[in-house]
PDB file of all heavy atoms in Angstrom:
ATOM      1  N   ASP A 260      70.853-153.218  33.820  1.00 95.00           N
ATOM      2  CA  ASP A 260      70.919-151.923  33.155  1.00 95.00           C
ATOM      3  C   ASP A 260      69.559-151.209  33.252  1.00 95.00           C
ATOM      4  O   ASP A 260      69.262-150.306  32.484  1.00 95.00           O
ATOM      5  CB  ASP A 260      71.297-152.191  31.681  1.00 95.00           C
ATOM      6  CG  ASP A 260      71.870-150.965  31.014  1.00 95.00           C
ATOM      7  OD1 ASP A 260      72.113-149.977  31.715  1.00 95.00           O
ATOM      8  OD2 ASP A 260      72.067-150.995  29.783  1.00 95.00           O
ATOM      9  N   GLY A 261      68.704-151.686  34.150  1.00 94.00           N
ATOM     10  CA  GLY A 261      67.431-151.018  34.375  1.00 94.00           C
ATOM     11  C   GLY A 261      66.288-151.567  33.536  1.00 94.00           C
ATOM     12  O   GLY A 261      65.206-150.999  33.499  1.00 94.00           O
ATOM     13  N   GLY A 262      66.533-152.668  32.825  1.00 94.00           N
ATOM     14  CA  GLY A 262      65.451-153.328  32.077  1.00 94.00           C
ATOM     15  C   GLY A 262      65.047-152.625  30.788  1.00 94.00           C
ATOM     16  O   GLY A 262      63.948-152.843  30.279  1.00 94.00           O
ATOM     17  N   ASP A 263      65.938-151.817  30.256  1.00 94.00           N
ATOM     18  CA  ASP A 263      65.625-151.042  29.054  1.00 94.00           C
ATOM     19  C   ASP A 263      65.823-151.903  27.792  1.00 94.00           C
ATOM     20  O   ASP A 263      66.875-151.866  27.156  1.00 94.00           O
ATOM     21  CB  ASP A 263      66.533-149.814  29.024  1.00 94.00           C
ATOM     22  CG  ASP A 263      66.195-148.868  27.889  1.00 94.00           C
ATOM     23  OD1 ASP A 263      65.285-149.192  27.104  1.00 94.00           O
ATOM     24  OD2 ASP A 263      66.850-147.818  27.799  1.00 94.00           O
ATOM     25  N   VAL A 264      64.792-152.670  27.416  1.00 96.00           N
ATOM     26  CA  VAL A 264      64.966-153.596  26.277  1.00 96.00           C
ATOM     27  C   VAL A 264      65.129-152.841  24.955  1.00 96.00           C
ATOM     28  O   VAL A 264      65.860-153.286  24.069  1.00 96.00           O
ATOM     29  CB  VAL A 264      63.814-154.630  26.151  1.00 96.00           C
ATOM     30  CG1 VAL A 264      63.698-155.486  27.382  1.00 96.00           C
ATOM     31  CG2 VAL A 264      62.493-153.982  25.842  1.00 96.00           C
ATOM     32  N   GLU A 265      64.473-151.702  24.827  1.00 95.00           N
ATOM     33  CA  GLU A 265      64.566-150.943  23.570  1.00 95.00           C
ATOM     34  C   GLU A 265      66.022-150.603  23.231  1.00 95.00           C
ATOM     35  O   GLU A 265      66.420-150.657  22.080  1.00 95.00           O
ATOM     36  CB  GLU A 265      63.737-149.641  23.637  1.00 95.00           C
ATOM     37  CG  GLU A 265      62.249-149.831  23.347  1.00 95.00           C
ATOM     38  CD  GLU A 265      61.463-150.255  24.582  1.00 95.00           C
ATOM     39  OE1 GLU A 265      62.077-150.299  25.682  1.00 95.00           O
ATOM     40  OE2 GLU A 265      60.266-150.568  24.456  1.00 95.00           O
ATOM     41  N   LYS A 266      66.762-150.282  24.263  1.00 95.00           N
ATOM     42  CA  LYS A 266      68.167-149.934  24.060  1.00 95.00           C
ATOM     43  C   LYS A 266      68.933-151.097  23.400  1.00 95.00           C
ATOM     44  O   LYS A 266      69.748-150.902  22.507  1.00 95.00           O
ATOM     45  CB  LYS A 266      68.780-149.597  25.423  1.00 95.00           C
ATOM     46  CG  LYS A 266      70.251-149.270  25.401  1.00 95.00           C
ATOM     47  CD  LYS A 266      70.662-148.748  26.774  1.00 95.00           C
ATOM     48  CE  LYS A 266      72.146-148.953  27.024  1.00 95.00           C
ATOM     49  NZ  LYS A 266      72.492-148.711  28.424  1.00 95.00           N
ATOM     50  N   TYR A 267      68.617-152.329  23.841  1.00 96.00           N
ATOM     51  CA  TYR A 267      69.323-153.496  23.310  1.00 96.00           C
ATOM     52  C   TYR A 267      68.821-153.869  21.915  1.00 96.00           C
ATOM     53  O   TYR A 267      69.566-154.403  21.102  1.00 96.00           O
ATOM     54  CB  TYR A 267      69.243-154.654  24.304  1.00 96.00           C
ATOM     55  CG  TYR A 267      70.153-154.390  25.487  1.00 96.00           C
ATOM     56  CD1 TYR A 267      69.756-153.553  26.525  1.00 96.00           C
ATOM     57  CD2 TYR A 267      71.443-154.912  25.515  1.00 96.00           C
ATOM     58  CE1 TYR A 267      70.597-153.265  27.592  1.00 96.00           C
ATOM     59  CE2 TYR A 267      72.299-154.624  26.574  1.00 96.00           C
ATOM     60  CZ  TYR A 267      71.880-153.804  27.606  1.00 96.00           C
ATOM     61  OH  TYR A 267      72.733-153.510  28.651  1.00 96.00           O
ATOM     62  N   ILE A 268      67.554-153.564  21.663  1.00 96.00           N
ATOM     63  CA  ILE A 268      67.022-153.775  20.318  1.00 96.00           C
ATOM     64  C   ILE A 268      67.753-152.841  19.349  1.00 96.00           C
ATOM     65  O   ILE A 268      68.175-153.261  18.261  1.00 96.00           O
ATOM     66  CB  ILE A 268      65.491-153.491  20.292  1.00 96.00           C
ATOM     67  CG1 ILE A 268      64.740-154.469  21.188  1.00 96.00           C
ATOM     68  CG2 ILE A 268      64.948-153.469  18.872  1.00 96.00           C
ATOM     69  CD1 ILE A 268      64.509-155.844  20.610  1.00 96.00           C
ATOM     70  N   LEU A 269      67.951-151.611  19.782  1.00 96.00           N
ATOM     71  CA  LEU A 269      68.675-150.649  18.938  1.00 96.00           C
ATOM     72  C   LEU A 269      70.102-151.119  18.678  1.00 96.00           C
ATOM     73  O   LEU A 269      70.602-151.040  17.555  1.00 96.00           O
ATOM     74  CB  LEU A 269      68.715-149.270  19.618  1.00 96.00           C
ATOM     75  CG  LEU A 269      67.477-148.395  19.435  1.00 96.00           C
ATOM     76  CD1 LEU A 269      67.621-147.107  20.237  1.00 96.00           C
ATOM     77  CD2 LEU A 269      67.243-148.081  17.954  1.00 96.00           C
ATOM     78  N   LYS A 270      70.741-151.601  19.721  1.00 96.00           N
ATOM     79  CA  LYS A 270      72.109-152.119  19.590  1.00 96.00           C
ATOM     80  C   LYS A 270      72.160-153.270  18.573  1.00 96.00           C
ATOM     81  O   LYS A 270      73.046-153.345  17.734  1.00 96.00           O
ATOM     82  CB  LYS A 270      72.599-152.663  20.937  1.00 96.00           C
ATOM     83  CG  LYS A 270      73.476-151.720  21.736  1.00 96.00           C
ATOM     84  CD  LYS A 270      73.691-152.247  23.170  1.00 96.00           C
ATOM     85  CE  LYS A 270      74.808-153.277  23.282  1.00 96.00           C
ATOM     86  NZ  LYS A 270      76.150-152.753  22.986  1.00 96.00           N
ATOM     87  N   ALA A 271      71.170-154.181  18.684  1.00 96.00           N
ATOM     88  CA  ALA A 271      71.156-155.360  17.801  1.00 96.00           C
ATOM     89  C   ALA A 271      70.958-154.948  16.346  1.00 96.00           C
ATOM     90  O   ALA A 271      71.446-155.614  15.429  1.00 96.00           O
ATOM     91  CB  ALA A 271      70.068-156.332  18.242  1.00 96.00           C
ATOM     92  N   LYS A 272      70.250-153.840  16.141  1.00 97.00           N
ATOM     93  CA  LYS A 272      69.977-153.391  14.768  1.00 97.00           C
ATOM     94  C   LYS A 272      71.126-152.595  14.179  1.00 97.00           C
ATOM     95  O   LYS A 272      71.225-152.436  12.968  1.00 97.00           O
ATOM     96  CB  LYS A 272      68.712-152.507  14.761  1.00 97.00           C
ATOM     97  CG  LYS A 272      67.483-153.284  15.105  1.00 97.00           C
ATOM     98  CD  LYS A 272      66.170-152.557  15.236  1.00 97.00           C
ATOM     99  CE  LYS A 272      66.054-151.107  15.039  1.00 97.00           C
ATOM    100  NZ  LYS A 272      64.669-150.615  15.149  1.00 97.00           N
ATOM    101  N   ASP A 273      71.982-152.079  15.057  1.00 97.00           N
ATOM    102  CA  ASP A 273      73.085-151.217  14.630  1.00 97.00           C
ATOM    103  C   ASP A 273      74.198-152.057  13.982  1.00 97.00           C
ATOM    104  O   ASP A 273      74.828-152.875  14.643  1.00 97.00           O
ATOM    105  CB  ASP A 273      73.611-150.482  15.873  1.00 97.00           C
ATOM    106  CG  ASP A 273      74.772-149.551  15.531  1.00 97.00           C
ATOM    107  OD1 ASP A 273      75.189-149.519  14.347  1.00 97.00           O
ATOM    108  OD2 ASP A 273      75.246-148.864  16.452  1.00 97.00           O
ATOM    109  N   LYS A 274      74.389-151.842  12.691  1.00 96.00           N
ATOM    110  CA  LYS A 274      75.361-152.672  11.965  1.00 96.00           C
ATOM    111  C   LYS A 274      76.809-152.364  12.362  1.00 96.00           C
ATOM    112  O   LYS A 274      77.724-153.116  12.028  1.00 96.00           O
ATOM    113  CB  LYS A 274      75.172-152.506  10.446  1.00 96.00           C
ATOM    114  CG  LYS A 274      73.854-153.059   9.939  1.00 96.00           C
ATOM    115  CD  LYS A 274      73.832-154.588   9.986  1.00 96.00           C
ATOM    116  CE  LYS A 274      72.434-155.124   9.849  1.00 96.00           C
ATOM    117  NZ  LYS A 274      72.321-156.552  10.092  1.00 96.00           N
TER     118      LYS A 274
END
Side-chain angles (χ1 to χ4, degrees):
D260 200 8
D263 186 358
V264 300
E265 278 85 5
K266 177 171 156 192
Y267 286 80
I268 297 281
L269 277 176
K270 261 169 83 65
K272 293 176 0 177
D273 180 357
K274 293 289 165 189

